[in-house]
Amino acid sequence: MPLQIYKRGRVYWAKGWIEYNGRPIAGPYRRSTKASSEEGARDWINHETERQIRRYVVGDEPSKTFSDAIMLYNASPKAAKQLIPIVEAIGDLSLSAISGALLKSLGPKLKPKASTDTWWREIVTPASAVINNAHELEGTPLIRVKPYDKFERIAQDKRRGKLSRVERTPADKEWIEAFCRAADPYNAALVRFMFETAARIDQAVSLEPDDLRPHENKVRVKAQKGHPESWITVSPQMMDELLALPAKRPKNRKTGKFMKARVFGYGSSTGYNTRWKTICKRAGIPYLSAHPAGRHGFFTELVVRQGVDPVTAAKAGRWSDPNLPMRIYAHAETDEADIRARFRTNHVQDDAVQTPNSKKSRKE
């Protein structure tokens, strides 16, 4: 019987034989496709069928190693830098021998003082991308890796003596105003722009004069984090503030050459840090980096303080899934002591007014 799919629990399975020219060449199968959708299961069957037919026609091919898969992968400069120590560790291993557990075990070896989030971002993710790219191009094994759980994260934090996922303090209107009173016009406009639009720091500092449409109160922000380039609407006051800033040409610190003119005058997404620390110290407020001042502050201000529904706030901040900002960017602001005190509050109940008739009925 040709391969069929059926569902067991949340996962689709495959059973039957793979046929070629009317005769079985592989099987019998009774195997999980590891897919949670019928479409994913059919993709697995198609890939497995192609692999077995190729194996039947041309014989077993030499197994590809991780180093071979690297040659098929078009890595960005950042990903290439992350992949160098990974190749040195597992480059000679065949792709079929690399499991999710093996990739996760590289974290303690390559970055013993890093958090599990860093391991996932800088080791597991780029290595998985290389392996799955080879799967798409050459039909080599696909890999799926189970994320580090909270127990692994807590254990690693204990080993390195440092907490990961420390909750950020979001900016509020008072912090923004105090910052702006102590800041120069460029940095005041920068922090207001991010607080109002939820723009990321790289999107903000990349703004050029041509990215402004004053008559429409629109600003073009570049693509980032899987979101396309888009035009976002700002308040008229914000647009006036942006137009009042003479554009500056920052210098590229690596090449020494001047870059194209930018609205806020910064040449990189980290150039603001030192200046902001000085401004916060002068204003007598705690230092906040761009992300909690902008994106975290934006969502907390709308949802927690102003009661805007999360779906609307997420759309305005260009989050595709409102559950993500609710989980990460919305910060509760109720004092814990106040919550506990609510359990000790005596609720005063009005005494029932007794009438002569009620007294009489009680005697009876």
Side-chain angles (χ1 to χ4, degrees):
M1 178 180 68
L3 277 182
Q4 304 291 322
I5 61 173
Y6 65 99
K7 193 173 185 181
R8 179 186 291 179
R10 296 182 178 180
V11 178
Y12 283 85
W13 286 55
K15 65 178 180 179
W17 296 78
I18 290 178
E19 297 182 352
Y20 180 67
N21 289 338
R23 57 184 295 181
I25 60 171
Y29 284 80
R30 188 174 291 273
R31 185 185 306 176
S32 169
T33 67
K34 297 182 180 180
S36 57
S37 66
E38 185 175 342
E39 181 181 3
R42 295 196 183 282
D43 285 342
W44 183 91
I45 288 177
N46 290 336
H47 286 304
E48 180 67 9
T49 301
E50 291 174 5
R51 188 175 74 85
Q52 292 294 350
I53 291 176
R54 185 169 62 248
R55 181 184 180 190
Y56 177 78
V57 173
V58 302
D60 288 326
E61 300 175 0
S63 58
K64 285 188 168 13
T65 65
F66 188 79
S67 294
D68 295 329
I70 285 283
M71 302 305 293
L72 300 171
Y73 188 66
N74 185 20
S76 65
K78 181 179 179 181
K81 185 177 180 180
Q82 293 171 342
L83 287 167
I84 291 173
I86 302 174
V87 175
E88 293 174 350
I90 62 171
D92 294 334
L93 289 180
S94 67
L95 296 180
S96 60
I98 299 175
S99 64
L102 187 147
L103 291 185
K104 290 172 66 175
S105 72
L106 292 177
K109 299 174 184 177
L110 301 181
K111 295 179 179 289
K113 297 297 184 181
S115 67
T116 55
D117 289 338
T118 300
W119 291 347
W120 184 266
R121 183 175 61 253
E122 299 184 6
I123 298 175
V124 176
T125 297
S128 300
V130 169
I131 295 171
N132 289 334
N133 177 69
H135 166 75
E136 291 290 332
L137 298 177
E138 302 287 337
T140 55
L142 180 72
I143 193 167
R144 291 187 177 91
V145 187
K146 183 180 178 182
Y148 294 98
D149 59 36
K150 66 178 182 180
F151 300 106
E152 292 171 306
R153 173 169 55 84
I154 292 171
Q156 174 59 9
D157 286 349
K158 186 175 181 179
R159 280 191 292 268
R160 69 195 189 111
K162 184 179 179 181
L163 288 177
S164 58
R165 301 189 184 181
V166 178
E167 184 172 358
R168 299 174 189 252
T169 300
D172 55 23
K173 288 184 177 180
E174 289 73 21
W175 187 93
I176 295 292
E177 290 308 314
F179 180 96
C180 291
R181 284 194 297 269
D184 59 277
Y186 287 90
N187 284 286
L190 174 61
V191 75
R192 283 199 181 105
F193 177 75
M194 290 189 295
F195 186 69
E196 179 178 314
T197 65
R200 298 179 182 277
I201 181 63
D202 188 49
Q203 292 174 315
V205 299
S206 297
L207 290 184
E208 299 176 1
D210 289 343
D211 294 324
L212 307 181
R213 287 181 181 171
H215 59 289
E216 298 179 43
N217 290 326
K218 287 187 178 294
V219 177
R220 178 170 54 196
V221 293
K222 71 177 188 178
Q224 200 170 62
K225 293 273 186 174
H227 296 279
E229 174 188 290
S230 60
W231 288 89
I232 61 175
T233 303
V234 299
S235 64
Q237 296 85 351
M238 186 75 256
M239 181 57 71
D240 290 340
E241 200 167 350
L242 297 177
L243 293 175
L245 301 174
K248 293 181 179 180
R249 293 186 63 191
K251 182 182 289 187
N252 187 312
R253 295 180 181 178
K254 294 182 179 180
T255 65
K257 296 181 179 180
F258 283 97
M259 305 166 65
K260 294 177 66 176
R262 294 190 173 187
V263 172
F264 296 112
Y266 285 112
S268 72
S269 59
T270 58
Y272 75 96
N273 263 311
T274 302
R275 180 62 179 158
W276 275 33
K277 289 177 181 177
T278 302
I279 294 171
C280 290
K281 184 176 181 180
R282 183 189 304 159
I285 56 178
Y287 169 72
L288 297 181
S289 63
H291 208 57
R295 226 158 150 73
H296 284 258
F298 170 89
F299 199 81
T300 300
E301 176 66 29
L302 287 183
V303 176
V304 178
R305 302 181 191 125
Q306 298 191 26
V308 175
D309 71 271
V311 175
T312 300
K315 184 177 181 181
R318 298 169 304 288
W319 284 280
S320 56
D321 180 3
N323 292 317
L324 174 64
M326 281 298 292
R327 188 173 67 252
I328 298 175
Y329 292 88
H331 299 265
E333 297 193 323
T334 303
D335 182 14
E336 185 177 354
D338 179 62
I339 294 294
R340 306 302 175 219
R342 292 172 184 264
F343 290 93
R344 297 293 180 179
T345 302
N346 294 323
H347 296 284
V348 179
Q349 295 182 347
D350 295 333
D351 293 333
V353 178
Q354 295 185 354
T355 63
N357 290 336
S358 63
K359 291 180 180 179
K360 181 178 179 182
S361 62
R362 210 177 294 143
K363 290 179 180 179
E364 295 175 352

